[in-house]
Amino acid sequence: MQNMKMSERIKILKKKMLAQKRYMSVEQALLTTDVYKKNEEKPVIIKRALALQAALEKIEIAVEPEEMIVGNRTRGVRFGVVSPESGGSWIDGELTTLPNRPQDPFQVHAKDIDDYREIIKPYWQDKSLEDILQKRYGRELAAISKVAKINQTDHSQGHICPDCLLWLEKGPAGIKEQAQRLTGGQSLTREQREFYKSVVIVMDGMQTFMLRYSILLKDTARVNGKFASSLEKMADNCENIAKRPPENFHEAVQSLWFLFVVLQMESNASSFSPGRMDRYLYSFYKNDIDNSIISADDALEIIECLWLKFNQIVYMRNAGSAKYFAGFPIGFNIAIGGLDEYGNTAENDLSYLFLKAQEDLGLPQPNLSVRLNKNTAQKLLQYAVKVVSKGSGMPQFFNDEAIIETMMNDLKIEKKDAWDYAIVGCVELTTQGNNLGWSDAAMFNMNKALELAMNHGRCLLTGKQLGPDMGGLERFSSYEELEKAFAAQIDYFLEKMIMACEEVEKGHMALLPSPFLSAVIDNCLANGVDVTAGGAKYNLSGIQIIQAANVADSMAALKQLVYDEKRVSGAEMLNALQNDFNGFEIVRTMAENKVPKYGNDIEWVDNIAAKWAHYFREKLTHYKNCRGGIYHTGMYTVSAHVPMGENVGASPDGRLAGKPLADGGMSPVYGCDKNGPTAVLQSVSRLDNVLTSNGGLLNMKFLPEFFATEEGIEKFSMFLRAFVDLKIPHIQFNVVHREDLLKAQKEPEKYSSLTVRVAGYTAYFTELDRKLQDEIIARTEYSAI
Amino acid sequence: MKKGLIFDIQRFSVNDGAGIRTTVFLKGCPLHCIWCQNPEGISVNAKLVCFASSCILCGQCAQKGDNAVRIEKKQVVIENDKVKNPDEYESICPAGALRMDSRWYELDELIHILKRDKVFFKYGGGVTLSGGEPFFQNEFSTALLQKLREEGIHTAVETSLYTRPGSIEKALPYIDTLFADFKIYDNDLHKKCTGVDNDIIKKNIKFILQSLYRDNVIIRTPLIPFYTAVPENLQKIAEQIVSWYEHVKYELLNYNPLAAAKYKHVDYDYCFSEKLPMYTAEQMAYFYGILKEAGIIGY
């Protein structure tokens, strides 16, 4: 493995890709608008299918002669696609600022501005998901937004693992045939018939799309002598997989890539994940190797071509959202290793080749995850650590021992699905091919709820009454009274959050049925029910608890300083918070230095974090979502700890108003973890895995010296073995020099390919907003002590 | 006597022996090496110190009335011999800047802390006793090692071996890895740099290298420019220890210039006023070449 070399072809392709400018694209939006206009009277699902078909037939396509895997949803790479049917009211206002905004800029053609303003915007006004939700429920969403941030109000639902195995077994032809057969069934409802009809339309579109590439590849081969033979081979591949299932490794990978391109064309959503690709591609690989159809080097080249492809689709967000999800993470999450259905550790040659591709390319996508368990081979573990040490922040690690049992016990997922779990987006857990997990339904800012509990339901930053007045710090005579008020604020906002989530789901059901996606999500096709209408086998909704570390530190400070030691009165503490600690430096320094913090292996503080997360989780279990599934919780912020912190006034842990909350989700507040990484793991292990059944995120940062020797890599693998034993669901590492980051800020042009772990994903450091860059630099660093 | 004076407990130590370890720093050392890495560990007394970087100069410590702690010219001044109840000062200080530089631990209390990372130790790590000089509190250290052994925790000790042979003998059965310093061969220079003769040290090294436990021993020399990192010194040490045990393991510790920063809180000066670099990989290879030449086969 170590001796394999990245090919010239890959180097050229990588260079070409990074050199291309990103543009906003309205091409598909124009096609969609045209279809909707011409089919006003048809059902929404048929309009959606026809619109996708039109795009597959007409959208401009391109290939590079060096490519071995082809396909994209726009002519150029990394284009920001406008999807007016879901939303985009922000686009009009930001058309002129998009090229120069600080986070994730996109170039804009003048003609596109005109098309957007004259054709697209006028048609979709009051028809898009965003506009309809805004009209129907906008006021309620705004009223709770400081505590509960509701997601998916202006774009399609992603964070889904399609049934890749089914796709490889059937291909578009097979699925089309199945849908056609089912359409003829007796006693179908009108909705079911429309559903099957729409599946036939989109699969037909997919076949056309593949054949268009085949023709383009043949044409390119005719004018490009150097790569003619590989272009011709790919032309054959595309033609074959349009008509029948793939028969070899190269065809299988090509077919998979088309699947993901078209999922993105239909939904333009954040994250469709390939899941356990080393498992379902292995039979193709092994067959080709055994029959000398390809060598391991050939396979690596194909894999690296696919890896490049994963970096060519990005998700364009508005300026505000780009702050939360900086670096346009698209979340092509691949999970390698893990267990097989008999409980044996399941890594194979492809697991190693995937790691090798990550080591070679060091790009933000795919989001590579390694599933660890007690029996993970030491060779895989050490190689994964070695790849981590290269500094791209990947792979991240998930823990089978923590996750599988929780899925079965607490989410009632069948064993055959639980052992086969994968990851979507950043760290969200899912079963494969049968789950609409709706894993980012909302983020609940516990720290804001605590603020309101301390301050009569009023915002510390604006003085506005946001929640009910249940008293204030100057009135609570005991810690228990404070706890009661905190619980009351959580209850109040939680109920409103659930109602808002229901509104959003109903909007998706009515406006954004997704026949192509539904065709690759188990039970939808069999039952003729779209995935947005509850057609999937599993229908969960995930709410993120933000942020347990700050809650623990703040509650610990109140308990110790105000109620146990009585060094500060409740009134004085509230006064200090209202004044952002101005004139209360002694109170602040006590809160910072005299009270133990979460993350130091101190039970009573860690238990506060667990207690409030449990409280929240328990309340959620009283509700069901619109698709009949349950609500559960995750503990990760993506990069939202920065803007969410901006919403929270000064807090009793000594944090000043507007400063970021702890990053990650399970991680301690930066700089507060004074007892080192082993103590952090012990603290985090006190958070029950039921709290993170939707995903948890633990971020740690190490300097490269730690990995400089074989001995260091071995010690790191020991650290990860203990992580498995402690049943912590997730961990990821940033391995960078502080100096490197400072230099990259000064000379960004020299560091354009420097990637860092932002939260659950990797982004280009120089493309991050300055504030987020500073924040990453400030995170705790561990070197060898 | 089941109490030990400890000036630090460092979890996730990865340079003090095999695997992931917790290192216990025991206070008190009979040597006064002019390059000491842990100068706060030399003195045998616990004392109150002020960490200026945390101090907000609120003056609460100065209001206690016994004048033992004062603020002069925007700095906290502590007269330790006047401090009667240091714990009170520690608790008064809202910034946590006034701290005891060490504290007494009951054996059971310490074991409880050390067991916390057992889940990490089981993959090859353990506990390391360092200092100071662990054998300066030899009864406590031996009891601690014995207890760790009972708990199934791997043990290592970092020692100057400047102690009575009897105390080494008692502890040896409970030590899995013994890092023994042999800093300077020449006695006069040794005395000049460390304050003590090296004859006891040599005797002890010979004893352990000829004991049943000799394969648990690693002899170490910290490389200090001009003092220990001198070819002739390394050569003589190597020849001597090989003559006692041909398979002896001998390793060199690269110079660590960061120690200078620690001298703020003690009354004496570091041996170098200018900042010297660590040795490069080539220089380290050169030094190891000398050992090889002298017949060292174990590293």
Side-chain angles (χ1 to χ4, degrees), chain A residues 633-652:
Chain A
T633 50
M635 296 178 87
Y636 58 87
T637 57
V638 191
S639 49
H641 58 291
V642 177
M644 285 221 151
E646 282 174 10
N647 279 337
V648 181
S651 45

Side-chain angles (χ1 to χ4, degrees), chain A residues 594 601 678 682 715 725 785, chain B residues 11 14 90 116-117 123:
Chain A
K594 301 299 266 194
D601 195 10
T678 61
Q682 303 279 14
K715 288 191 181 191
D725 291 343
I785 294 160
Chain B
R11 296 164 70 170
V14 292
E90 217 177 32
R116 283 180 172 263
D117 279 349
Y123 296 104

Side-chain angles (χ1 to χ4, degrees), chain A residues 146-147 445-452 459 461 466 647-648:
Chain A
K146 298 287 173 196
V147 178
N445 194 336
M446 300 282 274
N447 303 93
K448 192 67 186 179
L450 177 58
E451 173 183 319
L452 299 178
C459 176
L461 298 170
L466 297 180
N647 279 337
V648 181

Side-chain angles (χ1 to χ4, degrees), chain A residues 81 138 141 267 278 332 342 440 469 509 513 590 618 631 659 677:
Chain A
V81 169
L141 287 170
S267 295
D278 56 347
F332 288 114
Y342 309 108
D440 284 305
D469 182 356
M509 255 181 225
M590 273 199 283
E618 199 280 325
Y631 286 92
K659 293 289 170 196

